[in-house]
Amino acid sequence: MYITKSCDVAGNFEQGQLNGYDNIQLSPSAGVLNYGQGLFEGTKAYRQDNGGLSLFRPRENAIRMQIGAERMCMPYPSTDQFVDAVKQTALANKRWIPPPGKGSLYIRPLLYGSGSILGLAPAPEYTFLVYACPVGNYFKEGTTPLNLYVDEEFHRASRGGAGGVKSITNYAPVLRAIRNARERGFSDVLYLDSVNKKYIEEVSSCNIFLVKGKVISTPIACGTILEGVTRKSIMEIAIDLGYQVEERLIEADELISADEVFCTGTAVGVAPVGSITYKGQRIEYKIRSVLVCKKLYSTLVGIQKGHIEDKRDWIVDIE
C-alpha cells in the first residue's frame, strides 16, 4: 500500500512510499476518529486482453477528492501525485489483477485527519493512503437484476450537508437502512430527498438512471448526490449512442412508467434493476435480451478492455 503524510503548514504532502499491507497507528484523538474528517475514493485497475494493465479515468477521482477535501477543510495531494500513487499501488499488486472478464483490482485511496485534535477543529496532520483488493461482482446476486426498496424513513443526505462528496460520514448512517432492506429480501435501498420526500436521489453506493424511449434520466446532482465517475461516463456514452440524457428532479412516482431502470458505480459497474418496491407496491421491469443499460455497459467495458477506441483519453496504461 502507498502512504504519505502532509508535511508542512501549507498542507503539501511528502514523497510517498510503498509498504506492505499492514495495520496503521492512530492517536485516540485523531481527527478522523473523533470528528469523521476523512474521505475515500474508489477506482479500478484492469487487465486487458493483450496482457496490458490500465486504469480508468483516475484523474476524475483525484479531482473529486480535491472537491471533497475543500468541503471537509483538508489539504489534498495534487492530481499528479494522486494518479502516481494509484499507479504505484496497482503495479505493486499486479499479481492480484484478475484475468480479463473475471474481475478487476479495486483501488481505495483514503485521505484522513491523522493528527491529534481534541477541540472541534481541522486536524494538524493528514495521511493519504492507497490500498487495493481483487474483486468480482459487488452484489451477491452477481449479474441478477437488483431488487430495490424505496426507504421513506431514512435519508442518505440533506441539503447543505456532505452528500455530494465522498466523505466517510455518508456511509455508516445508511447501514441500518441497508440491513433492514436485506432482511426483507431486497438488494439495496433507493433514497428520497429529505426536504420534499418525493424525489429519488441515489442508492446506497451507486447512482440510478431511468429509461423512457430514447430518453435517459438521472437525478440532478445538487449537493446531495455523489457525482460518480461511472455515472458521468455512461452519460457521455449514451449521448454518443444517440440518446437524450437529462439530469433533473425525478419524482418517485415516475418509477412506475419507466421502461427500464439501472444503477451505475465503480464497484457495481452497470446493473439492471428488476424491481423497485415503493409505498407497498412492487414495480417490476421486464429484463429483455436487449437492454439499454447492457448496450451502454458493453461500450464502457469495450473501452476499458481496449476493444473500442478510447476517443476521450479515459484509459491510462500502466504496463
Side-chain angles (χ1 to χ4, degrees), residues 175-186:
L175 294 179
R176 184 175 175 185
I178 296 172
R179 183 188 66 185
N180 292 348
R182 289 180 177 170
E183 286 177 349
R184 297 171 60 187
F186 297 102

Side-chain angles (χ1 to χ4, degrees), residues 16-83:
Q17 62 181 17
L18 289 167
N19 297 328
Y21 182 87
D22 201 355
N23 294 335
I24 56 176
Q25 288 189 328
L26 278 177
S27 164
S29 57
V32 65
L33 294 180
N34 290 266
Y35 304 116
Q37 199 181 21
L39 297 161
F40 73 89
E41 274 297 326
T43 187
K44 288 180 176 178
Y46 300 88
R47 192 177 298 278
Q48 298 185 334
D49 290 342
N50 63 7
L53 304 178
S54 64
L55 303 171
F56 184 71
R57 308 190 75 174
R59 296 183 72 85
E60 292 293 325
N61 297 95
I63 293 169
R64 188 169 66 179
M65 176 170 275
Q66 292 166 12
I67 293 171
E70 291 282 359
R71 176 66 179 84
M72 305 289 284
C73 295
M74 304 166 69
Y76 48 81
S78 68
T79 301
D80 288 341
Q81 186 172 18
F82 179 101
V83 174

Side-chain angles (χ1 to χ4, degrees), residues 272-293:
V273 174
S275 71
I276 298 177
T277 298
Y278 175 51
K279 290 187 179 297
Q281 178 184 357
R282 183 184 175 95
I283 307 161
E284 297 195 3
Y285 304 98
K286 293 181 180 179
I287 304 301
R288 303 177 297 276
S289 58
V290 181
L291 288 173
V292 172
C293 71

Side-chain angles (χ1 to χ4, degrees), residues 47-297:
R47 192 177 298 278
Q48 298 185 334
D49 290 342
N50 63 7
L53 304 178
S54 64
L55 303 171
F56 184 71
R57 308 190 75 174
R59 296 183 72 85
E60 292 293 325
N61 297 95
I63 293 169
R64 188 169 66 179
M65 176 170 275
Q66 292 166 12
I67 293 171
E70 291 282 359
R71 176 66 179 84
M72 305 289 284
C73 295
M74 304 166 69
Y76 48 81
S78 68
T79 301
D80 288 341
Q81 186 172 18
F82 179 101
V83 174
D84 181 64
V86 170
K87 285 182 181 178
Q88 288 190 46
T89 305
L91 287 172
N93 291 283
K94 65 180 182 180
R95 67 188 183 280
W96 297 109
I97 302 179
K102 299 296 184 181
S104 56
L105 185 72
Y106 183 82
I107 302 172
R108 170 62 61 84
L110 295 168
L111 178 64
Y112 58 90
S114 50
S116 299
I117 187 75
L118 185 58
L120 180 55
E125 179 189 79
Y126 297 85
T127 296
F128 175 56
L129 183 153
V130 186
Y131 69 94
C133 176
V135 296
N137 290 314
Y138 179 74
F139 290 104
K140 68 178 182 179
E141 297 94 334
T143 56
T144 303
L146 303 180
N147 176 23
L148 302 180
Y149 175 74
V150 178
D151 199 312
E152 297 179 79
E153 177 183 3
F154 297 105
H155 297 283
R156 178 190 167 274
S158 59
R159 292 183 183 178
V165 300
K166 211 164 176 65
S167 165
I168 62 173
T169 58
N170 290 336
Y171 295 86
V174 303
L175 294 179
R176 184 175 175 185
I178 296 172
R179 183 188 66 185
N180 292 348
R182 289 180 177 170
E183 286 177 349
R184 297 171 60 187
F186 297 102
S187 308
D188 210 330
V189 176
L190 173 58
Y191 299 92
L192 300 176
D193 76 290
S194 62
V195 177
N196 301 287
K197 300 183 180 180
K198 67 176 183 179
Y199 299 109
I200 63 171
E201 293 208 323
E202 64 177 275
V203 181
S204 302
S205 59
C206 46
N207 298 116
I208 192 163
F209 288 80
L210 278 65
V211 181
K212 186 70 175 176
K214 292 289 288 183
V215 180
I216 299 176
S217 303
T218 191
I220 188 169
C222 52
T224 57
I225 295 172
L226 186 70
E227 297 188 61
V229 177
T230 307
R231 172 185 181 269
K232 181 177 182 179
S233 303
I234 287 297
M235 290 168 64
E236 294 179 48
I237 289 171
I239 292 171
D240 287 347
L241 294 180
Y243 291 93
Q244 178 183 336
V245 176
E246 298 178 344
E247 290 182 86
R248 61 179 177 84
L249 293 175
I250 300 175
E251 292 193 21
D253 289 337
E254 293 184 52
L255 295 169
I256 299 172
S257 60
D259 297 333
E260 180 184 332
V261 177
F262 63 91
C263 294
T264 66
T266 298
V268 70
V270 178
V273 174
S275 71
I276 298 177
T277 298
Y278 175 51
K279 290 187 179 297
Q281 178 184 357
R282 183 184 175 95
I283 307 161
E284 297 195 3
Y285 304 98
K286 293 181 180 179
I287 304 301
R288 303 177 297 276
S289 58
V290 181
L291 288 173
V292 172
C293 71
K294 288 186 177 180
K295 184 189 302 184
L296 297 172
Y297 188 45

